[in-house]
């Protein structure tokens, strides 16, 4: 199962003529969107840190532009994958180890779209940024909601899943609506006052609930598999950090939504939502730090046992980035310096993980080890 994350297993029904066209694209699975997510979150988190260094925003602009180019390139390549290797694309959906990564497309669109309004507007202008984010947010949200239903449906009806196969990868399609809930508030100030703003605010809270409750159903299966089945295979160990995704992103969501509540909904709800951001966010961030310590310990163990590079290393980026934005949101609403320092420390970890994953990915692309012909 570990190898399918890097090189999804092929279907047994092959069309030789189709395989001759763009053979490199045959092994380009949906897990590659994680690299776009991980790059975009570096820009988004870096631009919203409580502490800003000289040149930091410019660096975030460059990283955002890189994520936008990577997204456009990957969308084109994946379109080629579906066009020339449709049998393999269908096989991905029927593979329980690969299908959950379908949720990464939604999150890649949302992360780049959010970054367009956070830092991209400095380069392309506010009007263009709002238009771009509106398109990416709408597409990402629609795809995320579809995948949040379609992937669990396939797991129940088509996939042959055993308890021992449970991994944090199963959370991926369920986190996508939470990303919409966290990034949707960026568009609220650009909507007409009144019902449009309130509708988007409450829609984001609805998606917050969708993702949170679905995660609460799935997470016990993942943790139970760890307790009963022992450590994950070495290549899958970084996916333990995926659990941080719904934790950090939900904390980010409630804080972002609380920022927009006063201009979107009347009393007493606006004040209550502001209080909810702290009452919910602080305990969840505490659990996120607990899980981070456990996942880091398992990662060190895997590294000592010879864990090599796989595309699963990108799991060390986006989930940690959501904890950065979550801690930054709590710093805004509590005024505590401790949360500001926590956000900064987590960002250093995020930046380190991104540099490592990006360097190994580029090397794998140049050598052909990641996408063999």
């Amino acid at each position: 199962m570990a190898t399918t994350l890097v090189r999804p297993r092929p279907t047994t029904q092959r069309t030789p003529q189709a395989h001759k066209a763009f053979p490199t694209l045959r092994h380009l699975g949906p897990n590659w969107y994680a690299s776009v997510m991980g790059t975009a979150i570096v820009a988004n988190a870096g631009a919203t840190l409580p502490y800003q260094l000289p040149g930091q925003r410019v660096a975030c602009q460059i990283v955002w532009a890189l994520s936008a180019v990577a997204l456009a390139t990957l969308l084109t390549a994946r379109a080629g994958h579906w066009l020339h290797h449709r049998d393999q694309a269908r096989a991905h959906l029927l593979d329980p180890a690969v299908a959950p990564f379908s949720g990464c497309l939604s999150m890649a669109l949302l992360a780049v779209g959010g970054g367009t309004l956070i830092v991209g507007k400095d380069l392309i202008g506010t009007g263009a940024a709002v238009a771009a984010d509106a398109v990416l947010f709408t597409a990402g949200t629609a795809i995320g909601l579809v995948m949040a239903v379609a992937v669990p449906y396939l797991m129940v009806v088509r996939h042959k899943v055993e308890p021992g196969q449970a991994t944090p990868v199963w959370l991926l399609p369920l986190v996508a609506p939470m990303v919409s809930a966290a990034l949707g508030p960026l568009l609220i100030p650009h909507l007409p006052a009144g019902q449009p703003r309130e509708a988007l605010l409450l829609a984001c809270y609805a998606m917050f609930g969708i993702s949170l409750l679905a995660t609460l159903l799935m997470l016990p299966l993942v943790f139970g598999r760890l307790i009963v089945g022992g450590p994950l295979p070495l290549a899958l160990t970084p996916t333990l950090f995926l659990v941080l995704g719904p934790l950090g992103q939900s904390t980010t969501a409630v804080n972002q939504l609380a920022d927009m509540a006063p201009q979107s909904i009347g009393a007493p709800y606006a004040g209550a939502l502001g209080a909810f951001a702290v009452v919910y966010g602080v305990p969840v961030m505490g659990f996120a730090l607990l899980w981070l310590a456990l996942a880091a310990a398992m990662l060190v163990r895997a590294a000592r046992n010879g864990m090599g590079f796989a595309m699963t290393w990108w799991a060390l980026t986006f989930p940690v980035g959501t904890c950065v934005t979550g801690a930054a949101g709590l710093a805004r609403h509590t005024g505590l310096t401790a949360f500001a320092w926590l956000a900064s420390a987590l960002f250093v970890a995020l930046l380190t993980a991104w540099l490592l994953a990006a360097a190994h990915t580029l090397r794998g692309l140049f050598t052909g080890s990641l996408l063999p012909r």
Side-chain angles (χ1 to χ4, degrees):
M1 181 169 60
T3 57
T4 60
L5 299 177
V6 179
R7 192 180 305 169
R9 58 174 175 261
T11 180
T12 56
Q13 299 176 351
R14 298 187 175 186
T15 305
Q17 293 82 359
H19 292 184
K20 293 179 181 179
F22 304 100
T24 301
L25 296 182
R26 182 164 182 80
H27 302 292
L28 186 71
N31 56 313
W32 279 80
Y33 285 113
S35 62
V36 177
M37 296 160 52
T39 302
I41 197 67
V42 171
N44 299 355
T48 55
L49 281 176
Y51 303 115
Q52 295 289 313
L53 300 175
Q56 184 169 323
R57 189 167 183 86
V58 174
C60 291
Q61 293 168 1
I62 295 173
V63 175
W64 166 79
L66 179 62
S67 71
V69 171
L71 176 62
T73 302
L74 192 52
L75 286 173
T76 303
R78 284 286 294 166
H81 176 82
W82 273 93
L83 180 63
H84 298 287
H85 303 284
R86 196 166 301 166
D87 62 323
Q88 183 74 341
R90 291 195 182 111
H92 287 168
L93 290 175
L94 298 178
D95 189 335
V98 181
F101 286 99
S102 300
C104 291
L105 169 58
S106 167
M107 292 184 280
L109 294 170
L110 291 165
V112 174
T116 305
L117 266 184
I118 295 173
V119 294
K121 63 183 179 181
D122 300 342
L123 302 176
I124 65 175
T126 300
V130 171
D133 186 34
V135 172
L136 292 173
F137 176 79
T138 302
T141 298
I143 293 171
L145 291 173
V146 169
M147 291 304 169
V149 176
V151 174
Y153 174 83
L154 289 173
M155 293 177 70
V156 173
V157 176
R158 299 296 299 273
H159 297 167
K160 303 300 181 182
V161 178
E162 299 178 358
Q165 292 178 290
T167 72
V169 172
W170 287 7
L171 295 171
L172 284 172
L174 307 179
V175 180
M178 189 67 79
V179 180
S180 294
L183 295 175
L186 295 173
L187 287 169
I188 290 178
H190 303 284
L191 293 176
Q195 290 208 10
R197 292 185 180 184
E198 183 176 350
L200 181 54
L201 181 84
L202 296 183
C204 288
Y205 273 110
M207 290 186 285
F208 166 85
I210 290 171
S211 183
L212 177 63
L213 296 177
T215 298
L216 292 177
L217 289 175
M218 192 67 74
L219 191 54
L221 299 177
V222 175
F223 188 64
R225 179 258 176 263
L226 292 174
I227 296 297
V228 175
L232 294 175
L234 295 183
L236 282 173
T237 301
T239 65
L240 290 171
F241 285 78
L242 293 176
V243 176
L244 298 175
L247 302 176
Q249 200 66 281
S250 63
T251 303
T252 302
V254 293
N255 280 277
Q256 291 287 88
L257 289 165
D259 289 338
M260 295 296 109
Q263 56 184 286
S264 305
I265 196 169
Y269 300 109
L273 294 176
F276 178 67
V278 176
V279 173
Y280 172 88
V282 173
V284 171
M285 183 56 64
F287 179 69
L289 294 177
L290 173 66
W291 189 272
L292 176 62
L294 174 63
M298 297 299 293
L299 187 68
V300 170
R301 174 188 176 278
R304 289 178 174 175
N305 288 337
M307 178 187 69
F309 174 73
M311 286 299 289
T312 51
W313 279 32
W314 284 102
L316 306 175
T317 57
F318 190 82
V320 175
T322 67
C323 293
V324 175
T325 55
L330 289 174
R332 288 198 311 273
H333 286 99
T334 64
L336 289 178
T337 305
F339 282 120
W341 280 104
L342 175 61
S344 300
L346 290 172
F347 182 74
V348 172
L350 165 64
L351 189 58
T352 302
W354 177 73
L355 289 171
L356 287 173
H360 281 281
T361 300
L362 290 174
R363 184 174 66 179
L365 286 173
F366 288 137
T367 61
S369 61
L370 290 180
L371 293 175
R373 291 183 177 274

